[in-house]
PDB file of all heavy atoms in Angstrom:
ATOM      1  N   GLN A 249     106.252 101.564  86.954  1.00  0.00           N
ATOM      2  CA  GLN A 249     106.335 103.038  86.596  1.00  0.00           C
ATOM      3  C   GLN A 249     107.545 103.486  85.971  1.00  0.00           C
ATOM      4  O   GLN A 249     107.564 104.371  85.229  1.00  0.00           O
ATOM      5  CB  GLN A 249     105.859 103.890  87.795  1.00  0.00           C
ATOM      6  CG  GLN A 249     104.451 103.678  88.216  1.00  0.00           C
ATOM      7  CD  GLN A 249     104.022 104.644  89.279  1.00  0.00           C
ATOM      8  OE1 GLN A 249     104.828 105.412  89.702  1.00  0.00           O
ATOM      9  NE2 GLN A 249     102.899 104.376  89.870  1.00  0.00           N
ATOM     10  N   THR A 250     108.634 102.857  86.564  1.00  0.00           N
ATOM     11  CA  THR A 250     109.921 103.316  85.974  1.00  0.00           C
ATOM     12  C   THR A 250     110.439 102.378  84.881  1.00  0.00           C
ATOM     13  O   THR A 250     111.654 102.646  84.400  1.00  0.00           O
ATOM     14  CB  THR A 250     110.943 103.383  87.176  1.00  0.00           C
ATOM     15  OG1 THR A 250     111.132 101.982  87.579  1.00  0.00           O
ATOM     16  CG2 THR A 250     110.615 104.267  88.216  1.00  0.00           C
ATOM     17  N   TYR A 251     109.781 101.609  84.405  1.00  0.00           N
ATOM     18  CA  TYR A 251     110.118 100.585  83.347  1.00  0.00           C
ATOM     19  C   TYR A 251     110.146 101.262  81.993  1.00  0.00           C
ATOM     20  O   TYR A 251     109.032 101.767  81.661  1.00  0.00           O
ATOM     21  CB  TYR A 251     109.187  99.452  83.356  1.00  0.00           C
ATOM     22  CG  TYR A 251     109.570  98.366  82.381  1.00  0.00           C
ATOM     23  CD1 TYR A 251     110.742  97.578  82.517  1.00  0.00           C
ATOM     24  CD2 TYR A 251     108.696  98.273  81.321  1.00  0.00           C
ATOM     25  CE1 TYR A 251     110.995  96.548  81.647  1.00  0.00           C
ATOM     26  CE2 TYR A 251     109.065  96.995  80.485  1.00  0.00           C
ATOM     27  CZ  TYR A 251     110.297  96.389  80.567  1.00  0.00           C
ATOM     28  OH  TYR A 251     110.479  95.332  79.618  1.00  0.00           O
ATOM     29  N   ASP A 252     111.113 101.116  81.368  1.00  0.00           N
ATOM     30  CA  ASP A 252     111.380 101.596  79.952  1.00  0.00           C
ATOM     31  C   ASP A 252     111.272 100.362  79.150  1.00  0.00           C
ATOM     32  O   ASP A 252     112.287  99.593  79.054  1.00  0.00           O
ATOM     33  CB  ASP A 252     112.615 102.456  79.774  1.00  0.00           C
ATOM     34  CG  ASP A 252     112.768 102.891  78.324  1.00  0.00           C
ATOM     35  OD1 ASP A 252     112.153 102.411  77.419  1.00  0.00           O
ATOM     36  OD2 ASP A 252     113.767 103.738  78.030  1.00  0.00           O
ATOM     37  N   PRO A 253     110.274 100.144  78.349  1.00  0.00           N
ATOM     38  CA  PRO A 253     110.265  98.778  77.653  1.00  0.00           C
ATOM     39  C   PRO A 253     111.186  98.656  76.521  1.00  0.00           C
ATOM     40  O   PRO A 253     111.458  97.580  75.944  1.00  0.00           O
ATOM     41  CB  PRO A 253     108.850  98.810  77.005  1.00  0.00           C
ATOM     42  CG  PRO A 253     108.304 100.166  77.023  1.00  0.00           C
ATOM     43  CD  PRO A 253     109.039 100.988  78.173  1.00  0.00           C
ATOM     44  N   PHE A 254     111.828  99.798  76.139  1.00  0.00           N
ATOM     45  CA  PHE A 254     112.813  99.716  75.067  1.00  0.00           C
ATOM     46  C   PHE A 254     114.368  99.780  75.706  1.00  0.00           C
ATOM     47  O   PHE A 254     115.310  99.653  74.915  1.00  0.00           O
ATOM     48  CB  PHE A 254     112.732 100.904  74.155  1.00  0.00           C
ATOM     49  CG  PHE A 254     111.239 101.018  73.586  1.00  0.00           C
ATOM     50  CD1 PHE A 254     110.439 102.120  73.978  1.00  0.00           C
ATOM     51  CD2 PHE A 254     110.745 100.059  72.848  1.00  0.00           C
ATOM     52  CE1 PHE A 254     109.131 102.195  73.544  1.00  0.00           C
ATOM     53  CE2 PHE A 254     109.401  99.988  72.404  1.00  0.00           C
ATOM     54  CZ  PHE A 254     108.600 101.210  72.695  1.00  0.00           C
ATOM     55  N   SER A 255     114.423  99.793  76.861  1.00  0.00           N
ATOM     56  CA  SER A 255     115.854 100.030  77.475  1.00  0.00           C
ATOM     57  C   SER A 255     116.802  98.779  77.106  1.00  0.00           C
ATOM     58  O   SER A 255     117.920  99.110  76.858  1.00  0.00           O
ATOM     59  CB  SER A 255     115.832 100.364  78.985  1.00  0.00           C
ATOM     60  OG  SER A 255     115.229  99.183  79.641  1.00  0.00           O
ATOM     61  N   SER A 256     116.261  97.695  77.245  1.00  0.00           N
ATOM     62  CA  SER A 256     117.206  96.572  77.016  1.00  0.00           C
ATOM     63  C   SER A 256     117.659  96.549  75.548  1.00  0.00           C
ATOM     64  O   SER A 256     118.876  96.394  75.240  1.00  0.00           O
ATOM     65  CB  SER A 256     116.494  95.240  77.184  1.00  0.00           C
ATOM     66  OG  SER A 256     117.269  94.139  76.870  1.00  0.00           O
ATOM     67  N   GLN A 257     116.698  96.938  74.589  1.00  0.00           N
ATOM     68  CA  GLN A 257     117.092  97.041  73.172  1.00  0.00           C
ATOM     69  C   GLN A 257     118.134  98.175  73.048  1.00  0.00           C
ATOM     70  O   GLN A 257     119.024  97.989  72.306  1.00  0.00           O
ATOM     71  CB  GLN A 257     115.825  97.461  72.504  1.00  0.00           C
ATOM     72  CG  GLN A 257     115.313  96.528  71.522  1.00  0.00           C
ATOM     73  CD  GLN A 257     114.010  97.107  70.870  1.00  0.00           C
ATOM     74  OE1 GLN A 257     113.064  97.375  71.636  1.00  0.00           O
ATOM     75  NE2 GLN A 257     113.900  97.344  69.637  1.00  0.00           N
ATOM     76  N   LYS A 258     117.860  99.281  73.673  1.00  0.00           N
ATOM     77  CA  LYS A 258     118.736 100.535  73.457  1.00  0.00           C
ATOM     78  C   LYS A 258     120.134 100.048  73.975  1.00  0.00           C
ATOM     79  O   LYS A 258     121.185 100.402  73.334  1.00  0.00           O
ATOM     80  CB  LYS A 258     118.270 101.646  74.324  1.00  0.00           C
ATOM     81  CG  LYS A 258     117.060 102.344  73.786  1.00  0.00           C
ATOM     82  CD  LYS A 258     116.760 103.580  74.440  1.00  0.00           C
ATOM     83  CE  LYS A 258     115.507 103.551  75.363  1.00  0.00           C
ATOM     84  NZ  LYS A 258     115.144 104.865  75.864  1.00  0.00           N
ATOM     85  N   LEU A 259     120.193  99.435  75.127  1.00  0.00           N
ATOM     86  CA  LEU A 259     121.411  99.122  75.764  1.00  0.00           C
ATOM     87  C   LEU A 259     122.166  98.057  74.733  1.00  0.00           C
ATOM     88  O   LEU A 259     123.472  98.155  74.520  1.00  0.00           O
ATOM     89  CB  LEU A 259     121.094  98.445  77.060  1.00  0.00           C
ATOM     90  CG  LEU A 259     122.265  98.485  78.147  1.00  0.00           C
ATOM     91  CD1 LEU A 259     122.917  99.858  78.324  1.00  0.00           C
ATOM     92  CD2 LEU A 259     121.822  97.892  79.346  1.00  0.00           C
ATOM     93  N   SER A 260     121.539  97.050  74.267  1.00  0.00           N
ATOM     94  CA  SER A 260     122.311  96.166  73.535  1.00  0.00           C
ATOM     95  C   SER A 260     122.731  96.720  72.214  1.00  0.00           C
ATOM     96  O   SER A 260     123.844  96.394  71.891  1.00  0.00           O
ATOM     97  CB  SER A 260     121.469  94.789  73.440  1.00  0.00           C
ATOM     98  OG  SER A 260     120.273  95.009  72.817  1.00  0.00           O
ATOM     99  N   ALA A 261     121.948  97.569  71.631  1.00  0.00           N
ATOM    100  CA  ALA A 261     122.417  98.142  70.311  1.00  0.00           C
ATOM    101  C   ALA A 261     123.578  98.966  70.666  1.00  0.00           C
ATOM    102  O   ALA A 261     124.584  98.986  69.903  1.00  0.00           O
ATOM    103  CB  ALA A 261     121.211  98.915  69.819  1.00  0.00           C
ATOM    104  N   PHE A 262     123.655  99.682  71.669  1.00  0.00           N
ATOM    105  CA  PHE A 262     124.777 100.522  72.031  1.00  0.00           C
ATOM    106  C   PHE A 262     125.992  99.754  72.266  1.00  0.00           C
ATOM    107  O   PHE A 262     127.094 100.178  71.717  1.00  0.00           O
ATOM    108  CB  PHE A 262     124.407 101.398  73.258  1.00  0.00           C
ATOM    109  CG  PHE A 262     125.307 102.413  73.692  1.00  0.00           C
ATOM    110  CD1 PHE A 262     126.112 103.157  72.751  1.00  0.00           C
ATOM    111  CD2 PHE A 262     125.457 102.862  75.054  1.00  0.00           C
ATOM    112  CE1 PHE A 262     126.981 104.168  72.969  1.00  0.00           C
ATOM    113  CE2 PHE A 262     126.401 103.825  75.409  1.00  0.00           C
ATOM    114  CZ  PHE A 262     127.066 104.597  74.338  1.00  0.00           C
ATOM    115  N   ARG A 263     125.894  98.753  72.902  1.00  0.00           N
ATOM    116  CA  ARG A 263     127.055  97.853  73.334  1.00  0.00           C
ATOM    117  C   ARG A 263     127.592  97.236  71.970  1.00  0.00           C
ATOM    118  O   ARG A 263     128.829  97.085  71.846  1.00  0.00           O
ATOM    119  CB  ARG A 263     126.672  96.612  74.172  1.00  0.00           C
ATOM    120  CG  ARG A 263     126.305  97.089  75.576  1.00  0.00           C
ATOM    121  CD  ARG A 263     126.079  95.825  76.443  1.00  0.00           C
ATOM    122  NE  ARG A 263     127.376  95.141  76.592  1.00  0.00           N
ATOM    123  CZ  ARG A 263     127.876  94.805  77.921  1.00  0.00           C
ATOM    124  NH1 ARG A 263     127.077  95.066  78.920  1.00  0.00           N
ATOM    125  NH2 ARG A 263     129.036  94.224  78.023  1.00  0.00           N
ATOM    126  N   SER A 264     126.823  97.066  70.998  1.00  0.00           N
ATOM    127  CA  SER A 264     127.238  96.407  69.821  1.00  0.00           C
ATOM    128  C   SER A 264     127.825  97.416  68.803  1.00  0.00           C
ATOM    129  O   SER A 264     128.525  97.030  67.877  1.00  0.00           O
ATOM    130  CB  SER A 264     126.120  95.719  69.087  1.00  0.00           C
ATOM    131  OG  SER A 264     125.227  96.587  68.477  1.00  0.00           O
ATOM    132  N   SER A 265     127.820  98.697  69.218  1.00  0.00           N
ATOM    133  CA  SER A 265     128.439  99.762  68.274  1.00  0.00           C
ATOM    134  C   SER A 265     129.791 100.196  68.869  1.00  0.00           C
ATOM    135  O   SER A 265     130.371 101.180  68.399  1.00  0.00           O
ATOM    136  CB  SER A 265     127.588 100.878  68.145  1.00  0.00           C
ATOM    137  OG  SER A 265     127.170 101.325  69.400  1.00  0.00           O
ATOM    138  N   GLY A 266     130.454  99.281  69.603  1.00  0.00           N
ATOM    139  CA  GLY A 266     131.805  99.523  70.290  1.00  0.00           C
ATOM    140  C   GLY A 266     132.834  99.945  69.384  1.00  0.00           C
ATOM    141  O   GLY A 266     133.528 100.836  69.588  1.00  0.00           O
ATOM    142  N   SER A 267     132.952  99.233  68.219  1.00  0.00           N
ATOM    143  CA  SER A 267     134.153  99.441  67.412  1.00  0.00           C
ATOM    144  C   SER A 267     133.918 100.735  66.660  1.00  0.00           C
ATOM    145  O   SER A 267     134.830 101.582  66.469  1.00  0.00           O
ATOM    146  CB  SER A 267     134.438  98.259  66.476  1.00  0.00           C
ATOM    147  OG  SER A 267     133.258  97.972  65.792  1.00  0.00           O
ATOM    148  N   ALA A 268     132.817 101.063  66.112  1.00  0.00           N
ATOM    149  CA  ALA A 268     132.506 102.434  65.487  1.00  0.00           C
ATOM    150  C   ALA A 268     132.753 103.518  66.428  1.00  0.00           C
ATOM    151  O   ALA A 268     133.404 104.523  66.188  1.00  0.00           O
ATOM    152  CB  ALA A 268     131.133 102.514  64.987  1.00  0.00           C
ATOM    153  N   ILE A 269     132.355 103.311  67.687  1.00  0.00           N
ATOM    154  CA  ILE A 269     132.601 104.282  68.754  1.00  0.00           C
ATOM    155  C   ILE A 269     133.947 104.627  69.009  1.00  0.00           C
ATOM    156  O   ILE A 269     134.493 105.656  69.213  1.00  0.00           O
ATOM    157  CB  ILE A 269     131.659 103.949  69.957  1.00  0.00           C
ATOM    158  CG1 ILE A 269     130.194 104.213  69.739  1.00  0.00           C
ATOM    159  CG2 ILE A 269     132.109 104.870  71.180  1.00  0.00           C
ATOM    160  CD1 ILE A 269     129.426 103.696  70.876  1.00  0.00           C
ATOM    161  N   ASN A 270     134.791 103.508  69.124  1.00  0.00           N
ATOM    162  CA  ASN A 270     136.135 103.622  69.426  1.00  0.00           C
ATOM    163  C   ASN A 270     136.859 104.389  68.360  1.00  0.00           C
ATOM    164  O   ASN A 270     137.682 105.331  68.507  1.00  0.00           O
ATOM    165  CB  ASN A 270     136.761 102.232  69.554  1.00  0.00           C
ATOM    166  CG  ASN A 270     138.242 102.337  69.882  1.00  0.00           C
ATOM    167  OD1 ASN A 270     138.577 102.754  70.959  1.00  0.00           O
ATOM    168  ND2 ASN A 270     139.214 101.887  68.954  1.00  0.00           N
ATOM    169  N   GLN A 271     136.524 103.978  67.063  1.00  0.00           N
ATOM    170  CA  GLN A 271     137.211 104.776  65.941  1.00  0.00           C
ATOM    171  C   GLN A 271     136.906 106.237  66.073  1.00  0.00           C
ATOM    172  O   GLN A 271     137.842 107.057  65.973  1.00  0.00           O
ATOM    173  CB  GLN A 271     136.479 104.458  64.633  1.00  0.00           C
ATOM    174  CG  GLN A 271     136.933 103.319  63.860  1.00  0.00           C
ATOM    175  CD  GLN A 271     136.178 103.051  62.599  1.00  0.00           C
ATOM    176  OE1 GLN A 271     135.728 103.977  61.862  1.00  0.00           O
ATOM    177  NE2 GLN A 271     136.088 101.724  62.158  1.00  0.00           N
ATOM    178  N   LEU A 272     135.648 106.672  66.267  1.00  0.00           N
ATOM    179  CA  LEU A 272     135.329 108.048  66.442  1.00  0.00           C
ATOM    180  C   LEU A 272     135.992 108.687  67.527  1.00  0.00           C
ATOM    181  O   LEU A 272     136.544 109.725  67.500  1.00  0.00           O
ATOM    182  CB  LEU A 272     133.776 108.118  66.670  1.00  0.00           C
ATOM    183  CG  LEU A 272     132.915 107.890  65.297  1.00  0.00           C
ATOM    184  CD1 LEU A 272     131.579 107.979  65.642  1.00  0.00           C
ATOM    185  CD2 LEU A 272     133.254 109.007  64.252  1.00  0.00           C
ATOM    186  N   ALA A 273     135.945 108.102  68.778  1.00  0.00           N
ATOM    187  CA  ALA A 273     136.464 108.724  69.870  1.00  0.00           C
ATOM    188  C   ALA A 273     138.081 108.924  69.748  1.00  0.00           C
ATOM    189  O   ALA A 273     138.577 109.974  70.245  1.00  0.00           O
ATOM    190  CB  ALA A 273     136.229 107.746  71.063  1.00  0.00           C
ATOM    191  N   THR A 274     138.692 107.971  69.156  1.00  0.00           N
ATOM    192  CA  THR A 274     140.181 108.191  69.041  1.00  0.00           C
ATOM    193  C   THR A 274     140.394 109.436  68.232  1.00  0.00           C
ATOM    194  O   THR A 274     141.313 110.298  68.606  1.00  0.00           O
ATOM    195  CB  THR A 274     140.782 106.940  68.389  1.00  0.00           C
ATOM    196  OG1 THR A 274     140.282 105.805  69.032  1.00  0.00           O
ATOM    197  CG2 THR A 274     142.269 106.961  68.298  1.00  0.00           C
ATOM    198  N   THR A 275     139.685 109.488  67.140  1.00  0.00           N
ATOM    199  CA  THR A 275     140.013 110.690  66.253  1.00  0.00           C
ATOM    200  C   THR A 275     139.567 112.010  67.013  1.00  0.00           C
ATOM    201  O   THR A 275     140.369 113.001  66.875  1.00  0.00           O
ATOM    202  CB  THR A 275     139.081 110.592  64.900  1.00  0.00           C
ATOM    203  OG1 THR A 275     139.314 109.319  64.431  1.00  0.00           O
ATOM    204  CG2 THR A 275     139.559 111.585  64.010  1.00  0.00           C
ATOM    205  N   VAL A 276     138.444 111.956  67.657  1.00  0.00           N
ATOM    206  CA  VAL A 276     137.926 113.254  68.176  1.00  0.00           C
ATOM    207  C   VAL A 276     138.693 113.562  69.330  1.00  0.00           C
ATOM    208  O   VAL A 276     138.956 114.880  69.686  1.00  0.00           O
ATOM    209  CB  VAL A 276     136.394 113.080  68.607  1.00  0.00           C
ATOM    210  CG1 VAL A 276     135.883 114.265  69.279  1.00  0.00           C
ATOM    211  CG2 VAL A 276     135.532 112.791  67.303  1.00  0.00           C
ATOM    212  N   GLU A 277     139.135 112.613  70.145  1.00  0.00           N
ATOM    213  CA  GLU A 277     140.086 112.979  71.288  1.00  0.00           C
ATOM    214  C   GLU A 277     141.216 113.781  70.797  1.00  0.00           C
ATOM    215  O   GLU A 277     141.675 114.874  71.313  1.00  0.00           O
ATOM    216  CB  GLU A 277     140.537 111.715  71.926  1.00  0.00           C
ATOM    217  CG  GLU A 277     141.300 111.964  73.339  1.00  0.00           C
ATOM    218  CD  GLU A 277     141.757 110.737  73.935  1.00  0.00           C
ATOM    219  OE1 GLU A 277     142.261 109.928  73.182  1.00  0.00           O
ATOM    220  OE2 GLU A 277     141.893 110.639  75.221  1.00  0.00           O
ATOM    221  N   GLU A 278     141.866 113.416  69.692  1.00  0.00           N
ATOM    222  CA  GLU A 278     142.857 114.165  69.055  1.00  0.00           C
ATOM    223  C   GLU A 278     142.526 115.619  68.590  1.00  0.00           C
ATOM    224  O   GLU A 278     143.146 116.617  68.897  1.00  0.00           O
ATOM    225  CB  GLU A 278     143.471 113.457  67.833  1.00  0.00           C
ATOM    226  CG  GLU A 278     144.869 113.186  67.717  1.00  0.00           C
ATOM    227  CD  GLU A 278     145.196 112.300  66.661  1.00  0.00           C
ATOM    228  OE1 GLU A 278     145.216 112.671  65.539  1.00  0.00           O
ATOM    229  OE2 GLU A 278     145.237 110.987  66.973  1.00  0.00           O
ATOM    230  N   LEU A 279     141.384 115.703  68.003  1.00  0.00           N
ATOM    231  CA  LEU A 279     140.915 117.065  67.602  1.00  0.00           C
ATOM    232  C   LEU A 279     140.660 117.991  68.663  1.00  0.00           C
ATOM    233  O   LEU A 279     141.016 119.065  68.539  1.00  0.00           O
ATOM    234  CB  LEU A 279     139.598 116.785  66.714  1.00  0.00           C
ATOM    235  CG  LEU A 279     139.714 116.025  65.433  1.00  0.00           C
ATOM    236  CD1 LEU A 279     138.328 115.758  64.719  1.00  0.00           C
ATOM    237  CD2 LEU A 279     140.500 116.861  64.429  1.00  0.00           C
ATOM    238  N   VAL A 280     140.084 117.359  69.724  1.00  0.00           N
ATOM    239  CA  VAL A 280     139.694 118.242  70.877  1.00  0.00           C
ATOM    240  C   VAL A 280     141.046 118.689  71.557  1.00  0.00           C
ATOM    241  O   VAL A 280     141.255 119.930  71.873  1.00  0.00           O
ATOM    242  CB  VAL A 280     138.987 117.378  71.919  1.00  0.00           C
ATOM    243  CG1 VAL A 280     138.921 118.100  73.307  1.00  0.00           C
ATOM    244  CG2 VAL A 280     137.513 117.228  71.480  1.00  0.00           C
ATOM    245  N   HIS A 281     142.155 117.802  71.766  1.00  0.00           N
ATOM    246  CA  HIS A 281     143.311 118.186  72.215  1.00  0.00           C
ATOM    247  C   HIS A 281     144.016 119.322  71.334  1.00  0.00           C
ATOM    248  O   HIS A 281     144.475 120.318  71.887  1.00  0.00           O
ATOM    249  CB  HIS A 281     144.301 116.968  72.382  1.00  0.00           C
ATOM    250  CG  HIS A 281     143.942 116.150  73.460  1.00  0.00           C
ATOM    251  ND1 HIS A 281     144.545 115.004  73.773  1.00  0.00           N
ATOM    252  CD2 HIS A 281     142.771 116.028  74.241  1.00  0.00           C
ATOM    253  CE1 HIS A 281     144.045 114.385  74.771  1.00  0.00           C
ATOM    254  NE2 HIS A 281     142.892 114.985  75.060  1.00  0.00           N
ATOM    255  N   LYS A 282     143.931 119.072  70.089  1.00  0.00           N
ATOM    256  CA  LYS A 282     144.588 120.134  69.154  1.00  0.00           C
ATOM    257  C   LYS A 282     143.813 121.451  69.303  1.00  0.00           C
ATOM    258  O   LYS A 282     144.451 122.471  69.353  1.00  0.00           O
ATOM    259  CB  LYS A 282     144.430 119.711  67.698  1.00  0.00           C
ATOM    260  CG  LYS A 282     145.589 118.673  67.293  1.00  0.00           C
ATOM    261  CD  LYS A 282     145.529 118.433  65.839  1.00  0.00           C
ATOM    262  CE  LYS A 282     146.470 117.367  65.534  1.00  0.00           C
ATOM    263  NZ  LYS A 282     146.145 116.527  64.299  1.00  0.00           N
ATOM    264  N   ALA A 283     142.536 121.379  69.396  1.00  0.00           N
ATOM    265  CA  ALA A 283     141.837 122.737  69.468  1.00  0.00           C
ATOM    266  C   ALA A 283     142.201 123.484  70.813  1.00  0.00           C
ATOM    267  O   ALA A 283     142.385 124.553  70.871  1.00  0.00           O
ATOM    268  CB  ALA A 283     140.292 122.426  69.417  1.00  0.00           C
ATOM    269  N   GLU A 284     142.309 122.566  71.793  1.00  0.00           N
ATOM    270  CA  GLU A 284     142.604 123.217  73.192  1.00  0.00           C
ATOM    271  C   GLU A 284     143.935 123.766  73.162  1.00  0.00           C
ATOM    272  O   GLU A 284     144.149 124.861  73.626  1.00  0.00           O
ATOM    273  CB  GLU A 284     142.335 122.208  74.307  1.00  0.00           C
ATOM    274  CG  GLU A 284     140.952 121.815  74.618  1.00  0.00           C
ATOM    275  CD  GLU A 284     140.764 120.679  75.641  1.00  0.00           C
ATOM    276  OE1 GLU A 284     141.884 120.040  75.908  1.00  0.00           O
ATOM    277  OE2 GLU A 284     139.622 120.673  76.178  1.00  0.00           O
ATOM    278  N   ALA A 285     144.915 122.990  72.509  1.00  0.00           N
ATOM    279  CA  ALA A 285     146.205 123.485  72.542  1.00  0.00           C
ATOM    280  C   ALA A 285     146.312 124.752  71.727  1.00  0.00           C
ATOM    281  O   ALA A 285     146.981 125.797  72.143  1.00  0.00           O
ATOM    282  CB  ALA A 285     147.143 122.431  71.983  1.00  0.00           C
ATOM    283  N   ALA A 286     145.580 124.886  70.657  1.00  0.00           N
ATOM    284  CA  ALA A 286     145.601 126.146  69.852  1.00  0.00           C
ATOM    285  C   ALA A 286     144.961 127.243  70.669  1.00  0.00           C
ATOM    286  O   ALA A 286     145.602 128.359  70.633  1.00  0.00           O
ATOM    287  CB  ALA A 286     144.646 125.860  68.543  1.00  0.00           C
ATOM    288  N   VAL A 287     143.993 126.996  71.350  1.00  0.00           N
ATOM    289  CA  VAL A 287     143.360 128.151  72.237  1.00  0.00           C
ATOM    290  C   VAL A 287     144.247 128.469  73.184  1.00  0.00           C
ATOM    291  O   VAL A 287     144.471 129.828  73.338  1.00  0.00           O
ATOM    292  CB  VAL A 287     142.060 127.664  72.815  1.00  0.00           C
ATOM    293  CG1 VAL A 287     141.412 128.598  73.760  1.00  0.00           C
ATOM    294  CG2 VAL A 287     140.937 127.430  71.737  1.00  0.00           C
ATOM    295  N   SER A 288     144.929 127.619  73.892  1.00  0.00           N
ATOM    296  CA  SER A 288     145.900 128.126  74.904  1.00  0.00           C
ATOM    297  C   SER A 288     147.162 128.677  74.467  1.00  0.00           C
ATOM    298  O   SER A 288     147.731 129.499  75.222  1.00  0.00           O
ATOM    299  CB  SER A 288     146.020 126.972  76.139  1.00  0.00           C
ATOM    300  OG  SER A 288     146.430 125.798  75.411  1.00  0.00           O
TER     301      SER A 288
END
Side-chain angles (χ1 to χ4, degrees):
Q249 291 182 9
T250 59
Y251 179 73
D252 175 348
F254 306 115
S255 61
S256 173
Q257 245 177 300
K258 287 191 256 193
L259 200 56
S260 57
F262 189 28
R263 291 184 73 128
S264 69
S265 50
S267 50
I269 287 175
N270 181 64
Q271 270 182 34
L272 287 174
T274 308
T275 314
V276 175
E277 192 185 33
E278 226 169 86
L279 292 174
V280 164
H281 289 183
K282 277 190 189 150
E284 286 179 342
V287 170
S288 54

